Amino acid sequence: MKSLWAAMLAAPLCALPAQAQTSPPSAGGDVLTLEEALADAGATTPLTQAAEAGVWAAEAGRSVAKLRPNPSVSVDTENALGTGPYRGFNESDTTVAFALPVELGGKRSARVAAADAGIQRAHVDLAIAEADRRVAVTEAYVAAIASERRAVVAEAQVAVTTENLRIARDRVMVGANSPIDEQRAALEQVRATTDAETARLTAAATRATLVQYVGDSARTALDQRWFDGAAARGQGPSVPVDARGTLALAAAAADTAAAEAGLRLARSQRVPDLTLTAGTRRLEASNDQAMVFGVSVPLPLFNSGKAAVTQAARERDRTEAQGRIALFEAERAIAAAEADRDRAATAVRASEPALAAATEAARIARVGYAEGKFDQLILLDAERTLLDTRRAGIDARAAYHDAVARLERLTVRLPAEGDR
């Protein structure tokens, strides 16, 4: 009879953990997959708008770089409004001249080359912004699923602690246990209720974040199978990744090319430009006209452009050094992301047997406590272990997906020119 009474008390508690292991019930309607979320985010997020504007600005800058210097027209009047015979305009001479600057040293082609380097850098920035957008949306998607899973576990824990409190009260009432058991159970129930409320608020916040990225389509159910597939995708040998073709190295190469173009532009500035002048002069006294021709050349006495060339050369050296640093940092970041992915995959694979063992231990503890064989502390320890194991499984899956997203971000290549 005692065993039957214990089994009846423990049965409701044994059913609760099984419910908590399942995914959150999805609402009716379509399921929003990650790829669909990424596609929707591409149309709604402002994350890439600044980079797109940067490409347009760089292309407009190339049009500016192709322009030649504007000519100028001058009108000069001499020998007028003076004294004696020059009191009026009767002895004045008027010259109308046309001046045309002539760029030498390849300045225009150097400007165009610098503008082309700026366009290339702008395209790299756009690709980086697109990659950052993908990883941001992925992390928001993962966080939304994981937080809702944690909320489900927290709600189930409230039910477990509520039932434990009922059993403890019944056993205290019949004198089978000390009143301290009821107080411990009540404390656990309060903690579980608080954790559940916090988990619900967190789930609502993460879903709101996803809606900001994706739009109203993120209010539907999310892809739980994709989230649970982390263990299978975590298996298998890793493929070596060459960091030299990644966006970080493409950005460093674009900076070096821009610095090289800047050095070329600085060198072209050392060659003085010519200004050709042609005009006509009218002599008021004799009403005669004569042509006027001139050439002006600036004298590089104070600024020969050598300092600017030196500065540009040092800037190029700096960008080359930054490129070597970028390679080192990219390789280090990729290795760290791969290690995080592998550790998370191992934790995911270990979470299934750990959850089974923790569930069975909690079941035995409930039955034993209901029969009076185990102390309440053993039950509470088993319940906390089961709760921590459930949360650890969710955290491991979320960590795996986040690590994969970071690794994809670090290893993405610059799109070919025809694919932009």
Side-chain angles (χ1 to χ4, degrees):
M1 183 68 182
K2 184 178 181 181
S3 300
L4 178 61
W5 179 61
M8 292 174 62
L9 290 175
L13 297 177
C14 294
L16 291 171
Q19 297 174 3
Q21 296 175 39
T22 60
S23 304
S26 59
D30 296 334
V31 174
L32 179 69
T33 66
L34 176 59
E35 290 303 321
E36 291 172 345
L38 291 171
D40 292 343
T44 60
T45 182
L47 295 179
T48 59
Q49 292 178 355
E52 291 175 351
V55 172
W56 300 335
E59 292 174 346
R62 190 182 191 280
S63 300
V64 174
K66 292 169 59 178
L67 300 177
R68 300 181 184 276
N70 288 323
S72 61
V73 176
S74 62
V75 179
D76 298 325
T77 299
E78 303 176 13
N79 301 329
L81 301 178
T83 60
Y86 306 107
R87 186 170 300 171
F89 289 91
N90 294 332
E91 299 295 332
S92 64
D93 299 331
T94 301
T95 303
V96 179
F98 177 84
L100 177 66
V102 179
E103 290 185 311
L104 301 177
K107 292 183 179 63
R108 181 167 173 267
S109 61
R111 287 198 307 271
V112 172
D116 288 338
I119 292 175
Q120 178 64 20
R121 186 63 170 90
H123 280 292
V124 174
D125 290 340
L126 179 58
I128 291 175
E130 174 64 20
D132 290 342
R133 178 191 68 84
R134 289 184 63 87
V135 72
V137 174
T138 301
E139 289 176 349
Y141 189 90
V142 171
I145 294 180
S147 62
E148 290 173 1
R149 290 280 186 92
R150 296 187 189 101
V152 170
V153 170
E155 292 290 347
Q157 189 65 16
V158 171
V160 169
T161 55
T162 301
E163 186 66 14
N164 283 342
L165 176 59
R166 186 188 67 79
I167 294 175
R169 284 174 176 169
D170 291 344
R171 292 186 61 82
V172 170
M173 187 178 299
V174 298
N177 289 93
S178 169
I180 192 65
D181 286 7
E182 181 180 350
Q183 297 304 317
R184 289 198 197 102
L187 177 60
E188 291 297 320
Q189 200 268 345
V190 170
R191 287 176 178 173
T193 302
T194 303
D195 291 343
E197 180 63 23
T198 302
R200 283 194 296 270
L201 294 175
T202 302
T206 54
R207 179 68 76 138
T209 300
L210 184 61
V211 170
Q212 286 183 327
Y213 283 121
V214 179
D216 290 338
S217 61
R219 302 184 188 278
T220 61
L222 304 181
D223 193 352
Q224 304 292 334
R225 290 184 179 180
W226 172 84
F227 188 80
D228 288 329
R233 287 192 291 274
Q235 298 177 354
S238 301
V239 179
V241 178
D242 184 10
R244 296 182 184 275
T246 60
L247 286 180
L249 272 297
D255 289 339
T256 301
E260 190 68 37
L263 177 59
R264 176 185 171 187
L265 182 60
R267 286 171 176 166
S268 69
Q269 296 296 328
R270 296 198 65 188
V271 181
D273 294 336
L274 298 178
T275 301
L276 304 179
T277 304
T280 180
R281 174 174 293 178
R282 180 177 180 275
L283 306 176
E284 187 69 26
S286 61
N287 202 26
D288 293 330
Q289 292 185 351
M291 296 299 296
V292 178
F293 300 96
V295 177
S296 64
V297 181
L299 299 177
L301 296 179
F302 305 109
N303 182 10
S304 64
K306 183 178 180 180
V309 172
T310 302
Q311 179 186 11
R314 299 294 81 80
E315 179 65 19
R316 179 199 56 189
D317 296 341
R318 185 189 69 83
T319 56
E320 289 177 350
Q322 289 290 340
R324 294 189 291 271
I325 295 174
L327 177 59
F328 172 77
E329 293 292 339
E331 291 176 343
R332 184 186 63 82
I334 290 172
E338 288 178 332
D340 291 342
R341 177 202 60 191
D342 295 341
R343 282 194 295 268
T346 300
V348 169
R349 292 192 293 271
S351 65
E352 295 298 333
L355 180 60
T359 302
E360 179 63 15
R363 186 191 68 81
I364 294 174
R366 293 187 196 101
V367 174
Y369 176 69
E371 292 181 349
K373 296 180 180 179
F374 294 154
D375 185 80
Q376 188 190 40
L377 294 178
I378 296 178
L379 172 63
L380 296 181
D381 181 68
E383 293 286 3
R384 289 170 186 152
T385 301
L386 177 57
L387 176 62
D388 292 341
T389 303
R390 290 183 186 132
R391 289 174 174 170
I394 297 172
D395 293 344
R397 286 170 171 80
Y400 174 82
H401 288 299
D402 286 341
V404 170
R406 289 200 330 270
L407 186 59
E408 291 177 352
R409 163 63 182 85
L410 292 169
T411 57
V412 67
R413 263 55 176 172
L414 182 67
E417 187 172 353
D419 298 334
R420 295 175 187 169

